Amino acid sequence: NAGVTQTPKFQVLKTGQSMTLQCAQDMNHNSMYWYRQDPGMGLRLIYYSASEGTTDKGEVPNGYNVSRLNKREFSLRLESAAPSQTSVYFCASSENWRGGFFGPGTRLTVL
Amino acid sequence: GNSVTQMEGPVTLSEEAFLTINCTYTATGYPSLFWYVQYPGEGLQLLLKATKADDKGSNKGFEATYRKETTSFHLEKGSVQVSDSAVYFCALSPLSGGSYIPTFGRGTSLIVHP
């Protein structure tokens, strides 16, 4: 039982490059979330998926797209990376947010 | 809208000192309340939770009581250890349109010195 896994753990991009952050959970949760964490800003919700086949914008969706590939997997894509997207990205899953389980994070630097 | 306010850090304590991290919230209805801990280089881990007024959540010596009258959920520990050094997040989760979208505070860094 791995919980929530994220790949990659670290990534450096140049401005304008694209990449996809992968997230998978093995707890059979319906809901999955993508957050970014910046110093002094706490956690900000980018996108969430309440159930397989649905996605919705969170607080800071601009510059990102998501795909709920199946019940297990929820990916986050940066089409044209910008320095403002330098952050730590966390994926989480939950069933009715009775607590939530977080992945270990992806540390992204955009030069 | 919903919001969570935490005391600003860092909170710096000596080992075996008493810890309080204040958390207040604004929400409609009756949210569930949570404390998470984040150790350096890791994701958030659920520390404790409470789902209704006057409930006390507890784990690893930490406690917090859901106070509806003061809309608070302060985190306490009687005797902190160096290993408790981490960032602590308060959060709430209401039911919103069928989706459970949690709201997090900005986090409070705790530094415990030997």
Side-chain angles (χ1 to χ4, degrees):
Chain A
N1 187 340
V4 179
T5 57
Q6 291 183 237
T7 57
K9 292 189 176 180
F10 301 92
Q11 184 71 49
V12 179
L13 294 177
K14 295 181 179 178
T15 297
Q17 288 185 316
S18 63
M19 78 162 296
T20 299
L21 283 64
Q22 306 286 354
C23 173
Q25 53 95 4
D26 61 3
M27 295 168 285
N28 204 35
H29 289 158
N30 279 308
S31 300
M32 298 184 73
Y33 309 77
W34 276 106
Y35 290 90
R36 59 177 290 173
Q37 184 179 31
D38 302 291
M41 300 295 291
L43 287 169
R44 292 185 291 172
L45 183 64
I46 305 171
Y47 271 93
Y48 67 98
S49 171
S51 61
E52 186 178 356
T54 68
T55 61
D56 286 286
K57 295 178 181 179
E59 182 184 355
V60 289
N62 291 344
Y64 305 95
N65 286 300
V66 290
S67 295
R68 184 73 183 267
L69 304 170
N70 47 56
K71 192 170 186 179
R72 290 187 65 248
E73 298 172 287
F74 189 38
S75 63
L76 178 72
R77 182 160 178 84
L78 287 70
E79 290 291 351
S80 179
S84 60
Q85 294 178 305
T86 293
S87 188
V88 182
Y89 291 86
F90 290 101
C91 177
S93 75
S94 183
E95 200 63 38
N96 299 337
W97 205 272
R98 292 173 188 151
F101 292 83
F102 284 82
T106 294
R107 284 146 185 83
L108 175 66
T109 301
V110 182
L111 302 174
Chain B
N2 300 323
S3 67
V4 174
T5 303
Q6 292 180 234
M7 60 189 293
E8 296 220 5
V11 173
T12 304
L13 296 173
S14 297
E15 205 165 25
E16 299 184 1
F18 185 86
L19 168 71
T20 299
I21 300 178
N22 291 337
C23 172
T24 58
Y25 69 90
T26 302
T28 55
Y30 301 94
S32 295
L33 301 174
F34 307 86
W35 276 102
Y36 293 84
V37 59
Q38 183 181 33
Y39 299 104
E42 298 183 9
L44 278 70
Q45 302 173 29
L46 178 64
L47 181 59
L48 54 84
K49 67 179 181 182
T51 58
K52 60 184 188 294
D54 299 325
D55 266 2
K56 178 185 283 188
S58 62
N59 186 26
K60 299 181 181 179
F62 291 89
E63 294 183 340
T65 301
Y66 190 140
R67 300 287 188 199
K68 186 161 172 47
E69 64 277 11
T70 54
T71 62
S72 64
F73 192 54
H74 304 322
L75 182 68
E76 297 181 336
K77 187 175 185 183
S79 176
V80 293
Q81 305 300 312
V82 172
S83 57
D84 293 327
S85 297
V87 180
Y88 293 82
F89 291 89
C90 184
L92 67 82
S93 174
L95 172 59
S96 174
S99 299
Y100 292 79
I101 308 300
T103 299
F104 289 85
R106 294 193 172 190
T108 302
S109 175
L110 171 65
I111 301 169
V112 180
H113 294 294

Short mmCIF file of all heavy atoms in Angstrom, two decimals, chain A residues 40-101:
data_model
loop_
_atom_site.label_atom_id
_atom_site.label_comp_id
_atom_site.label_asym_id
_atom_site.label_seq_id
_atom_site.Cartn_x
_atom_site.Cartn_y
_atom_site.Cartn_z
N GLY A 40 5.27 31.33 2.77
CA GLY A 40 4.38 32.36 3.29
C GLY A 40 2.98 32.34 2.73
O GLY A 40 2.13 33.13 3.14
N MET A 41 2.71 31.42 1.78
CA MET A 41 1.39 31.39 1.14
C MET A 41 0.58 30.17 1.52
O MET A 41 -0.58 30.03 1.16
CB MET A 41 1.55 31.41 -0.39
CG MET A 41 2.26 32.63 -0.91
SD MET A 41 1.32 34.14 -0.62
CE MET A 41 -0.05 33.89 -1.74
N GLY A 42 1.18 29.26 2.25
CA GLY A 42 0.46 28.05 2.59
C GLY A 42 0.21 27.20 1.36
O GLY A 42 0.97 27.22 0.40
N LEU A 43 -0.89 26.47 1.39
CA LEU A 43 -1.27 25.60 0.28
C LEU A 43 -2.38 26.27 -0.52
O LEU A 43 -3.37 26.74 0.06
CB LEU A 43 -1.79 24.26 0.80
CG LEU A 43 -0.77 23.31 1.37
CD1 LEU A 43 -1.47 22.17 2.08
CD2 LEU A 43 0.12 22.78 0.28
N ARG A 44 -2.22 26.27 -1.82
CA ARG A 44 -3.26 26.84 -2.69
C ARG A 44 -3.70 25.78 -3.68
O ARG A 44 -2.89 25.14 -4.33
CB ARG A 44 -2.73 28.08 -3.41
CG ARG A 44 -2.48 29.26 -2.48
CD ARG A 44 -2.08 30.51 -3.24
NE ARG A 44 -0.74 30.36 -3.83
CZ ARG A 44 -0.21 31.23 -4.68
NH1 ARG A 44 -0.90 32.31 -5.04
NH2 ARG A 44 1.00 31.04 -5.16
N LEU A 45 -5.02 25.63 -3.79
CA LEU A 45 -5.59 24.59 -4.64
C LEU A 45 -5.54 25.02 -6.10
O LEU A 45 -6.01 26.10 -6.46
CB LEU A 45 -7.04 24.33 -4.21
CG LEU A 45 -7.78 23.23 -4.94
CD1 LEU A 45 -7.14 21.87 -4.68
CD2 LEU A 45 -9.26 23.23 -4.54
N ILE A 46 -5.00 24.15 -6.93
CA ILE A 46 -4.89 24.44 -8.36
C ILE A 46 -6.11 23.87 -9.09
O ILE A 46 -6.85 24.60 -9.76
CB ILE A 46 -3.60 23.85 -8.95
CG1 ILE A 46 -2.38 24.33 -8.18
CG2 ILE A 46 -3.47 24.21 -10.43
CD1 ILE A 46 -1.09 23.62 -8.57
N TYR A 47 -6.30 22.58 -8.97
CA TYR A 47 -7.44 21.87 -9.56
C TYR A 47 -7.80 20.72 -8.64
O TYR A 47 -6.97 20.25 -7.87
CB TYR A 47 -7.08 21.28 -10.94
CG TYR A 47 -7.30 22.18 -12.12
CD1 TYR A 47 -6.27 22.98 -12.61
CD2 TYR A 47 -8.52 22.19 -12.79
CE1 TYR A 47 -6.46 23.78 -13.72
CE2 TYR A 47 -8.72 23.01 -13.90
CZ TYR A 47 -7.68 23.80 -14.35
OH TYR A 47 -7.87 24.60 -15.46
N TYR A 48 -9.03 20.28 -8.77
CA TYR A 48 -9.43 19.07 -8.07
C TYR A 48 -10.35 18.25 -8.96
O TYR A 48 -10.91 18.75 -9.94
CB TYR A 48 -10.09 19.38 -6.73
CG TYR A 48 -11.42 20.08 -6.82
CD1 TYR A 48 -12.61 19.37 -6.73
CD2 TYR A 48 -11.48 21.46 -6.96
CE1 TYR A 48 -13.83 20.01 -6.80
CE2 TYR A 48 -12.70 22.11 -7.03
CZ TYR A 48 -13.87 21.38 -6.95
OH TYR A 48 -15.08 22.02 -7.02
N SER A 49 -10.48 16.98 -8.56
CA SER A 49 -11.37 16.06 -9.26
C SER A 49 -12.20 15.36 -8.22
O SER A 49 -11.67 14.57 -7.43
CB SER A 49 -10.54 15.05 -10.07
OG SER A 49 -11.37 14.03 -10.57
N ALA A 50 -13.47 15.68 -8.17
CA ALA A 50 -14.34 15.11 -7.14
C ALA A 50 -14.59 13.62 -7.39
O ALA A 50 -14.82 12.86 -6.44
CB ALA A 50 -15.67 15.87 -7.08
N SER A 51 -14.55 13.23 -8.63
CA SER A 51 -14.74 11.82 -8.97
C SER A 51 -14.17 11.59 -10.36
O SER A 51 -13.89 12.53 -11.11
CB SER A 51 -16.22 11.44 -8.93
OG SER A 51 -16.95 12.20 -9.86
N GLU A 52 -14.02 10.33 -10.71
CA GLU A 52 -13.48 9.98 -12.02
C GLU A 52 -14.34 10.62 -13.11
O GLU A 52 -15.57 10.54 -13.06
CB GLU A 52 -13.47 8.46 -12.18
CG GLU A 52 -12.82 7.98 -13.44
CD GLU A 52 -12.80 6.46 -13.50
OE1 GLU A 52 -13.23 5.81 -12.53
OE2 GLU A 52 -12.37 5.92 -14.54
N GLY A 53 -13.68 11.29 -14.05
CA GLY A 53 -14.41 11.90 -15.15
C GLY A 53 -14.77 13.36 -14.94
O GLY A 53 -15.28 14.01 -15.85
N THR A 54 -14.49 13.90 -13.75
CA THR A 54 -14.80 15.31 -13.48
C THR A 54 -13.56 16.03 -12.98
O THR A 54 -12.75 15.46 -12.24
CB THR A 54 -15.90 15.47 -12.43
OG1 THR A 54 -15.40 15.05 -11.16
CG2 THR A 54 -17.12 14.66 -12.78
N THR A 55 -13.39 17.27 -13.41
CA THR A 55 -12.34 18.14 -12.87
C THR A 55 -12.88 19.55 -12.73
O THR A 55 -13.77 19.95 -13.50
CB THR A 55 -11.09 18.17 -13.79
OG1 THR A 55 -11.46 18.68 -15.07
CG2 THR A 55 -10.47 16.80 -13.95
N ASP A 56 -12.36 20.27 -11.76
CA ASP A 56 -12.82 21.64 -11.52
C ASP A 56 -11.65 22.51 -11.11
O ASP A 56 -10.69 22.03 -10.50
CB ASP A 56 -13.88 21.69 -10.43
CG ASP A 56 -15.21 21.17 -10.91
OD1 ASP A 56 -15.88 21.90 -11.67
OD2 ASP A 56 -15.57 20.04 -10.54
N LYS A 57 -11.77 23.80 -11.42
CA LYS A 57 -10.72 24.75 -11.07
C LYS A 57 -10.74 25.04 -9.58
O LYS A 57 -11.80 25.10 -8.96
CB LYS A 57 -10.92 26.05 -11.85
CG LYS A 57 -10.76 25.90 -13.35
CD LYS A 57 -11.01 27.22 -14.06
CE LYS A 57 -10.85 27.05 -15.57
NZ LYS A 57 -11.11 28.33 -16.29
N GLY A 58 -9.55 25.28 -9.07
CA GLY A 58 -9.41 25.72 -7.70
C GLY A 58 -9.10 27.20 -7.66
O GLY A 58 -9.56 27.97 -8.49
N GLU A 59 -8.27 27.58 -6.72
CA GLU A 59 -7.96 28.98 -6.47
C GLU A 59 -7.01 29.57 -7.51
O GLU A 59 -7.13 30.74 -7.87
CB GLU A 59 -7.34 29.10 -5.08
CG GLU A 59 -7.00 30.49 -4.62
CD GLU A 59 -6.30 30.47 -3.26
OE1 GLU A 59 -6.18 29.39 -2.65
OE2 GLU A 59 -5.85 31.55 -2.82
N VAL A 60 -6.05 28.77 -7.99
CA VAL A 60 -5.00 29.29 -8.88
C VAL A 60 -4.81 28.40 -10.11
O VAL A 60 -3.75 27.81 -10.30
CB VAL A 60 -3.67 29.46 -8.12
CG1 VAL A 60 -3.75 30.62 -7.14
CG2 VAL A 60 -3.29 28.17 -7.39
N PRO A 61 -5.81 28.28 -10.99
CA PRO A 61 -5.72 27.34 -12.11
C PRO A 61 -4.97 27.85 -13.35
O PRO A 61 -4.60 27.04 -14.21
CB PRO A 61 -7.19 27.12 -12.47
CG PRO A 61 -7.83 28.45 -12.15
CD PRO A 61 -7.11 28.95 -10.92
N ASN A 62 -4.73 29.16 -13.42
CA ASN A 62 -4.16 29.70 -14.66
C ASN A 62 -2.77 29.14 -14.94
O ASN A 62 -1.90 29.14 -14.08
CB ASN A 62 -4.10 31.23 -14.59
CG ASN A 62 -5.49 31.84 -14.62
OD1 ASN A 62 -6.46 31.19 -14.99
ND2 ASN A 62 -5.59 33.10 -14.22
N GLY A 63 -2.58 28.68 -16.18
CA GLY A 63 -1.29 28.14 -16.58
C GLY A 63 -1.18 26.63 -16.40
O GLY A 63 -0.13 26.06 -16.71
N TYR A 64 -2.24 26.02 -15.92
CA TYR A 64 -2.24 24.57 -15.66
C TYR A 64 -3.44 23.90 -16.33
O TYR A 64 -4.47 24.51 -16.52
CB TYR A 64 -2.34 24.29 -14.16
CG TYR A 64 -1.29 24.96 -13.31
CD1 TYR A 64 -1.54 26.19 -12.70
CD2 TYR A 64 -0.06 24.35 -13.11
CE1 TYR A 64 -0.59 26.80 -11.91
CE2 TYR A 64 0.90 24.96 -12.31
CZ TYR A 64 0.63 26.18 -11.72
OH TYR A 64 1.59 26.79 -10.93
N ASN A 65 -3.25 22.62 -16.64
CA ASN A 65 -4.35 21.76 -17.05
C ASN A 65 -4.22 20.44 -16.32
O ASN A 65 -3.12 20.07 -15.88
CB ASN A 65 -4.32 21.50 -18.57
CG ASN A 65 -4.78 22.71 -19.34
OD1 ASN A 65 -5.90 23.17 -19.18
ND2 ASN A 65 -3.89 23.24 -20.17
N VAL A 66 -5.33 19.74 -16.19
CA VAL A 66 -5.31 18.46 -15.48
C VAL A 66 -6.05 17.41 -16.29
O VAL A 66 -6.88 17.72 -17.15
CB VAL A 66 -5.95 18.55 -14.08
CG1 VAL A 66 -5.08 19.37 -13.13
CG2 VAL A 66 -7.36 19.10 -14.16
N SER A 67 -5.74 16.16 -15.95
CA SER A 67 -6.44 15.02 -16.54
C SER A 67 -6.66 13.99 -15.46
O SER A 67 -5.70 13.59 -14.78
CB SER A 67 -5.62 14.39 -17.68
OG SER A 67 -5.48 15.28 -18.75
N ARG A 68 -7.91 13.58 -15.29
CA ARG A 68 -8.18 12.44 -14.39
C ARG A 68 -8.24 11.23 -15.29
O ARG A 68 -9.26 10.91 -15.88
CB ARG A 68 -9.51 12.67 -13.65
CG ARG A 68 -9.82 11.58 -12.63
CD ARG A 68 -8.96 11.68 -11.41
NE ARG A 68 -9.19 10.62 -10.46
CZ ARG A 68 -10.04 10.70 -9.44
NH1 ARG A 68 -10.77 11.78 -9.27
NH2 ARG A 68 -10.16 9.69 -8.61
N LEU A 69 -7.14 10.54 -15.37
CA LEU A 69 -6.98 9.46 -16.35
C LEU A 69 -7.86 8.26 -16.00
O LEU A 69 -8.38 7.59 -16.89
CB LEU A 69 -5.51 9.06 -16.38
CG LEU A 69 -4.54 10.22 -16.69
CD1 LEU A 69 -3.10 9.79 -16.47
CD2 LEU A 69 -4.76 10.73 -18.10
N ASN A 70 -8.00 7.99 -14.75
CA ASN A 70 -8.84 6.91 -14.23
C ASN A 70 -9.01 7.20 -12.74
O ASN A 70 -8.59 8.26 -12.27
CB ASN A 70 -8.20 5.55 -14.49
CG ASN A 70 -6.74 5.52 -14.12
OD1 ASN A 70 -6.41 5.83 -12.97
ND2 ASN A 70 -5.87 5.17 -15.05
N LYS A 71 -9.56 6.27 -12.00
CA LYS A 71 -9.79 6.55 -10.59
C LYS A 71 -8.48 6.73 -9.83
O LYS A 71 -8.40 7.47 -8.86
CB LYS A 71 -10.63 5.44 -9.96
CG LYS A 71 -11.16 5.80 -8.59
CD LYS A 71 -12.17 4.79 -8.09
CE LYS A 71 -12.79 5.26 -6.78
NZ LYS A 71 -13.81 4.30 -6.29
N ARG A 72 -7.43 6.07 -10.26
CA ARG A 72 -6.16 6.09 -9.55
C ARG A 72 -5.29 7.30 -9.86
O ARG A 72 -4.53 7.75 -9.02
CB ARG A 72 -5.33 4.85 -9.90
CG ARG A 72 -5.84 3.54 -9.36
CD ARG A 72 -4.83 2.45 -9.64
NE ARG A 72 -3.58 2.65 -8.93
CZ ARG A 72 -2.42 2.94 -9.51
NH1 ARG A 72 -2.34 3.10 -10.83
NH2 ARG A 72 -1.32 3.10 -8.79
N GLU A 73 -5.38 7.82 -11.09
CA GLU A 73 -4.36 8.75 -11.56
C GLU A 73 -4.92 10.13 -11.90
O GLU A 73 -5.99 10.25 -12.53
CB GLU A 73 -3.67 8.17 -12.79
CG GLU A 73 -2.95 6.87 -12.53
CD GLU A 73 -2.46 6.23 -13.81
OE1 GLU A 73 -3.30 5.70 -14.58
OE2 GLU A 73 -1.24 6.26 -14.05
N PHE A 74 -4.17 11.15 -11.51
CA PHE A 74 -4.58 12.54 -11.72
C PHE A 74 -3.32 13.33 -12.06
O PHE A 74 -2.46 13.51 -11.21
CB PHE A 74 -5.23 13.06 -10.44
CG PHE A 74 -5.89 14.42 -10.56
CD1 PHE A 74 -6.58 14.79 -11.69
CD2 PHE A 74 -5.85 15.31 -9.49
CE1 PHE A 74 -7.22 16.02 -11.78
CE2 PHE A 74 -6.49 16.54 -9.56
CZ PHE A 74 -7.17 16.90 -10.70
N SER A 75 -3.21 13.77 -13.30
CA SER A 75 -1.98 14.43 -13.74
C SER A 75 -2.18 15.94 -13.88
O SER A 75 -3.28 16.42 -14.14
CB SER A 75 -1.49 13.85 -15.06
OG SER A 75 -2.44 14.07 -16.08
N LEU A 76 -1.09 16.67 -13.70
CA LEU A 76 -1.08 18.13 -13.81
C LEU A 76 -0.10 18.52 -14.89
O LEU A 76 1.06 18.11 -14.85
CB LEU A 76 -0.66 18.75 -12.48
CG LEU A 76 -0.55 20.27 -12.43
CD1 LEU A 76 -1.94 20.90 -12.46
CD2 LEU A 76 0.19 20.71 -11.17
N ARG A 77 -0.54 19.33 -15.85
CA ARG A 77 0.32 19.69 -16.97
C ARG A 77 0.56 21.19 -17.00
O ARG A 77 -0.39 21.99 -16.84
CB ARG A 77 -0.29 19.24 -18.30
CG ARG A 77 0.60 19.56 -19.50
CD ARG A 77 0.26 18.72 -20.69
NE ARG A 77 1.10 19.07 -21.84
CZ ARG A 77 2.33 18.58 -22.04
NH1 ARG A 77 2.87 17.73 -21.18
NH2 ARG A 77 3.02 18.94 -23.11
N LEU A 78 1.82 21.55 -17.19
CA LEU A 78 2.22 22.92 -17.44
C LEU A 78 2.56 23.00 -18.92
O LEU A 78 3.51 22.38 -19.39
CB LEU A 78 3.45 23.30 -16.62
CG LEU A 78 3.27 23.52 -15.12
CD1 LEU A 78 2.98 22.23 -14.38
CD2 LEU A 78 4.51 24.20 -14.53
N GLU A 79 1.77 23.74 -19.69
CA GLU A 79 1.96 23.79 -21.14
C GLU A 79 3.14 24.67 -21.53
O GLU A 79 3.88 24.36 -22.46
CB GLU A 79 0.69 24.31 -21.81
CG GLU A 79 -0.49 23.35 -21.76
CD GLU A 79 -0.28 22.11 -22.62
OE1 GLU A 79 0.71 22.06 -23.41
OE2 GLU A 79 -1.09 21.17 -22.52
N SER A 80 3.31 25.77 -20.83
CA SER A 80 4.40 26.70 -21.14
C SER A 80 4.86 27.29 -19.81
O SER A 80 4.31 28.27 -19.32
CB SER A 80 3.92 27.80 -22.08
OG SER A 80 4.96 28.71 -22.36
N ALA A 81 5.87 26.66 -19.23
CA ALA A 81 6.26 27.00 -17.86
C ALA A 81 6.78 28.43 -17.76
O ALA A 81 7.47 28.94 -18.66
CB ALA A 81 7.32 26.03 -17.37
N ALA A 82 6.47 29.06 -16.63
CA ALA A 82 6.91 30.41 -16.33
C ALA A 82 7.60 30.41 -14.97
O ALA A 82 7.29 29.56 -14.11
CB ALA A 82 5.72 31.36 -16.30
N PRO A 83 8.53 31.34 -14.73
CA PRO A 83 9.22 31.39 -13.43
C PRO A 83 8.26 31.48 -12.24
O PRO A 83 8.57 30.97 -11.16
CB PRO A 83 10.10 32.64 -13.55
CG PRO A 83 10.39 32.74 -15.01
CD PRO A 83 9.13 32.30 -15.69
N SER A 84 7.08 32.08 -12.44
CA SER A 84 6.10 32.19 -11.36
C SER A 84 5.54 30.82 -10.96
O SER A 84 4.88 30.71 -9.91
CB SER A 84 4.94 33.10 -11.78
OG SER A 84 4.29 32.57 -12.92
N GLN A 85 5.79 29.80 -11.75
CA GLN A 85 5.32 28.46 -11.42
C GLN A 85 6.37 27.65 -10.65
O GLN A 85 6.14 26.48 -10.34
CB GLN A 85 4.90 27.72 -12.69
CG GLN A 85 3.68 28.36 -13.35
CD GLN A 85 3.28 27.69 -14.63
OE1 GLN A 85 4.08 27.54 -15.55
NE2 GLN A 85 2.01 27.27 -14.71
N THR A 86 7.48 28.27 -10.34
CA THR A 86 8.45 27.66 -9.43
C THR A 86 7.78 27.46 -8.08
O THR A 86 7.31 28.43 -7.47
CB THR A 86 9.69 28.54 -9.29
OG1 THR A 86 10.38 28.57 -10.53
CG2 THR A 86 10.61 28.00 -8.20
N SER A 87 7.71 26.22 -7.62
CA SER A 87 6.95 25.93 -6.41
C SER A 87 7.16 24.46 -6.06
O SER A 87 7.85 23.71 -6.74
CB SER A 87 5.47 26.19 -6.66
OG SER A 87 4.72 26.09 -5.46
N VAL A 88 6.55 24.07 -4.95
CA VAL A 88 6.45 22.65 -4.60
C VAL A 88 5.01 22.24 -4.83
O VAL A 88 4.08 22.90 -4.33
CB VAL A 88 6.86 22.39 -3.15
CG1 VAL A 88 6.80 20.89 -2.86
CG2 VAL A 88 8.26 22.92 -2.87
N TYR A 89 4.81 21.18 -5.59
CA TYR A 89 3.47 20.73 -5.97
C TYR A 89 3.13 19.45 -5.21
O TYR A 89 3.90 18.49 -5.20
CB TYR A 89 3.41 20.48 -7.47
CG TYR A 89 3.52 21.76 -8.25
CD1 TYR A 89 4.76 22.30 -8.58
CD2 TYR A 89 2.37 22.45 -8.64
CE1 TYR A 89 4.86 23.49 -9.27
CE2 TYR A 89 2.46 23.65 -9.34
CZ TYR A 89 3.71 24.16 -9.65
OH TYR A 89 3.81 25.34 -10.34
N PHE A 90 1.96 19.47 -4.60
CA PHE A 90 1.49 18.31 -3.85
C PHE A 90 0.18 17.79 -4.44
O PHE A 90 -0.73 18.57 -4.74
CB PHE A 90 1.26 18.64 -2.38
CG PHE A 90 2.52 18.89 -1.62
CD1 PHE A 90 2.93 20.17 -1.33
CD2 PHE A 90 3.29 17.82 -1.18
CE1 PHE A 90 4.10 20.40 -0.62
CE2 PHE A 90 4.46 18.04 -0.46
CZ PHE A 90 4.86 19.33 -0.20
N CYS A 91 0.11 16.49 -4.56
CA CYS A 91 -1.13 15.82 -4.92
C CYS A 91 -1.71 15.23 -3.64
O CYS A 91 -0.97 14.82 -2.73
CB CYS A 91 -0.82 14.72 -5.92
SG CYS A 91 -2.22 13.72 -6.42
N ALA A 92 -3.02 15.19 -3.56
CA ALA A 92 -3.68 14.60 -2.40
C ALA A 92 -4.90 13.83 -2.86
O ALA A 92 -5.46 14.10 -3.93
CB ALA A 92 -4.10 15.68 -1.39
N SER A 93 -5.30 12.85 -2.07
CA SER A 93 -6.53 12.13 -2.36
C SER A 93 -7.31 11.96 -1.08
O SER A 93 -6.76 11.99 0.03
CB SER A 93 -6.24 10.77 -2.99
OG SER A 93 -5.76 9.84 -2.04
N SER A 94 -8.61 11.79 -1.23
CA SER A 94 -9.46 11.66 -0.05
C SER A 94 -10.81 11.10 -0.44
O SER A 94 -11.18 11.10 -1.61
CB SER A 94 -9.65 13.03 0.61
OG SER A 94 -10.42 12.91 1.78
N GLU A 95 -11.52 10.63 0.57
CA GLU A 95 -12.91 10.26 0.42
C GLU A 95 -13.69 11.22 1.32
O GLU A 95 -13.63 11.11 2.54
CB GLU A 95 -13.12 8.81 0.86
CG GLU A 95 -14.38 8.18 0.32
CD GLU A 95 -14.37 8.09 -1.19
OE1 GLU A 95 -13.33 7.83 -1.81
OE2 GLU A 95 -15.46 8.31 -1.77
N ASN A 96 -14.33 12.19 0.71
CA ASN A 96 -15.10 13.19 1.45
C ASN A 96 -14.24 13.97 2.44
O ASN A 96 -14.73 14.43 3.48
CB ASN A 96 -16.27 12.54 2.19
CG ASN A 96 -17.24 11.88 1.24
OD1 ASN A 96 -17.29 12.24 0.06
ND2 ASN A 96 -18.01 10.93 1.72
N TRP A 97 -12.96 14.12 2.16
CA TRP A 97 -11.99 14.81 3.00
C TRP A 97 -12.21 14.50 4.48
O TRP A 97 -12.46 15.38 5.30
CB TRP A 97 -11.93 16.30 2.77
CG TRP A 97 -10.58 16.79 3.18
CD1 TRP A 97 -10.19 17.18 4.43
CD2 TRP A 97 -9.41 16.81 2.38
NE1 TRP A 97 -8.85 17.47 4.45
CE2 TRP A 97 -8.34 17.25 3.20
CE3 TRP A 97 -9.13 16.51 1.05
CZ2 TRP A 97 -7.05 17.38 2.73
CZ3 TRP A 97 -7.84 16.65 0.57
CH2 TRP A 97 -6.82 17.08 1.42
N ARG A 98 -12.07 13.22 4.79
CA ARG A 98 -12.07 12.84 6.21
C ARG A 98 -10.67 12.98 6.78
O ARG A 98 -10.45 12.66 7.93
CB ARG A 98 -12.54 11.40 6.36
CG ARG A 98 -14.00 11.24 6.00
CD ARG A 98 -14.43 9.80 5.99
NE ARG A 98 -15.78 9.65 5.45
CZ ARG A 98 -16.21 8.58 4.83
NH1 ARG A 98 -15.42 7.56 4.65
NH2 ARG A 98 -17.45 8.54 4.37
N GLY A 99 -9.76 13.48 6.00
CA GLY A 99 -8.40 13.70 6.46
C GLY A 99 -7.47 14.01 5.32
O GLY A 99 -6.67 14.92 5.40
N GLY A 100 -7.58 13.27 4.26
CA GLY A 100 -6.73 13.52 3.11
C GLY A 100 -5.36 12.89 3.26
O GLY A 100 -4.79 12.85 4.35
N PHE A 101 -4.84 12.40 2.15
CA PHE A 101 -3.51 11.81 2.12
C PHE A 101 -2.71 12.55 1.06
O PHE A 101 -3.17 12.70 -0.07
CB PHE A 101 -3.58 10.32 1.78
CG PHE A 101 -4.21 9.49 2.85
CD1 PHE A 101 -5.58 9.37 2.93
CD2 PHE A 101 -3.44 8.83 3.79
CE1 PHE A 101 -6.19 8.63 3.92
CE2 PHE A 101 -4.03 8.08 4.79
CZ PHE A 101 -5.40 7.97 4.86
#
